[in-house]
């Protein structure tokens, strides 16, 4: 899957991942390969990026996420 995280200032992350956990406003949720299309608002919180056995955490300040055909786009208001 391809993940892109963008803020108004810069692109924060752009690369391949095996799964992503995002802080949805109705609760955190994980996106895996072949996830159903979704658009969701995000609260302040941690995005957990997994690629194989490695894991990276990016803390965001609100935003939205869109998942379509194994492409995940996070438009964050900022990075904490």
């Amino acid at each position: 899957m391809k993940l892109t995280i963008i803020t108004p200032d810069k692109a924060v992350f752009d690369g391949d991942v095996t799964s992503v956990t995002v802080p949805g406003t109705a609760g955190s949720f994980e996106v895996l390969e072949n996830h159903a299309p979704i658009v969701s608002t995000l609260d302040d919180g941690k995005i957990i990026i997994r690629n194989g056995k490695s894991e990276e955490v990016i803390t965001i300040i609100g935003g939205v996420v869109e998942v379509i055909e194994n492409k995940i786009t996070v438009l964050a208001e900022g990075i904490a």
Side-chain angles (χ1 to χ4, degrees):
M1 295 185 303
K2 177 82 166 179
L3 170 65
T4 305
I5 301 175
I6 302 169
T7 68
D9 299 327
K10 63 180 179 178
V12 177
F13 185 93
D14 189 20
D16 292 324
V17 298
T18 52
S19 74
V20 179
T21 301
V22 295
T25 51
S28 292
F29 62 93
E30 185 174 20
V31 177
L32 298 168
E33 192 169 358
N34 297 320
H35 193 284
I38 186 172
V39 174
S40 176
T41 55
L42 300 175
D43 276 341
D44 298 355
K46 296 179 180 179
I47 295 179
I48 303 168
I49 303 163
R50 294 177 196 87
N51 194 357
K53 293 184 179 184
S54 68
E55 186 173 287
E56 181 179 348
V57 177
I58 297 173
T59 304
I60 65 163
I61 301 169
V64 295
V65 62
E66 176 186 60
V67 179
I68 296 177
E69 296 178 0
N70 291 322
K71 293 179 186 172
I72 307 159
T73 305
V74 175
L75 303 175
E77 293 176 20
I79 300 297

